[in-house]
C-alpha cells in the first residue's frame, strides 16, 4: 500500500537523520515502537523492514509484543 511505503520511508529518514545525534549524546539504545489497530499487520511488516534496513549498521532487536506473549504462554 502506498501509505505504508511512505510511512516506512519517513521513519527511515527520521532515524537516519537523528541516530548520529543520539550516538553523539551517548544514548545506549533507541526504541522505535509501532502499533496497528486495523488488523492489517502493518506494524509487524514495518518493524521487520526497518530492522532489516538498519541491522547492518546498528545492533537491532525486533520484539513483537503479541507474538512474544503467546510464545511465553505456550507449553
Amino acid at each position: 500500500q502506498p501509505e505504508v511505503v511512505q510511512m516506512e520511508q519517513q521513519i527511515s529518514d527520521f532515524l537516519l537523520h537523528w541516530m548520529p545525534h543520539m550516538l553523539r549524546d551517548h544514548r545506549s539504545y533507541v526504541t522505535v515502537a509501532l502499533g496497528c489497530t486495523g488488523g492489517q499487520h502493518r506494524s509487524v511488516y514495518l518493524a521487520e523492514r526497518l530492522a532489516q534496513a538498519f541491522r547492518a549498521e546498528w545492533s537491532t532487536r525486533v520484539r513483537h509484543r503479541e507474538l512474544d506473549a503467546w510464545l511465553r504462554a505456550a507449553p
Side-chain angles (χ1 to χ4, degrees):
Q1 296 174 343
E3 296 88 7
V4 177
V5 173
Q6 182 180 13
M7 182 182 286
E8 179 184 358
Q9 188 61 55
Q10 289 175 345
I11 295 170
S12 292
D13 290 346
F14 176 87
L15 292 170
L16 287 170
H17 176 82
W18 289 107
M19 284 299 290
H21 298 278
M22 290 184 243
L23 290 172
R24 279 196 300 274
D25 288 342
H26 306 289
R27 306 281 183 197
S28 60
Y29 67 92
V30 174
T31 300
V32 177
L34 303 164
C36 184
T37 60
Q40 300 296 314
H41 309 297
R42 288 175 290 253
S43 60
V44 172
Y45 172 80
L46 283 172
E48 292 296 334
R49 292 277 300 174
L50 290 166
Q52 180 183 4
F54 288 93
R55 189 170 279 132
E57 190 167 349
W58 293 298
S59 175
T60 304
R61 178 176 175 225
V62 178
R63 181 175 166 255
H64 299 292
R65 186 184 65 191
E66 304 292 328
L67 179 58
D68 291 347
W70 180 80
L71 290 172
R72 282 192 301 274

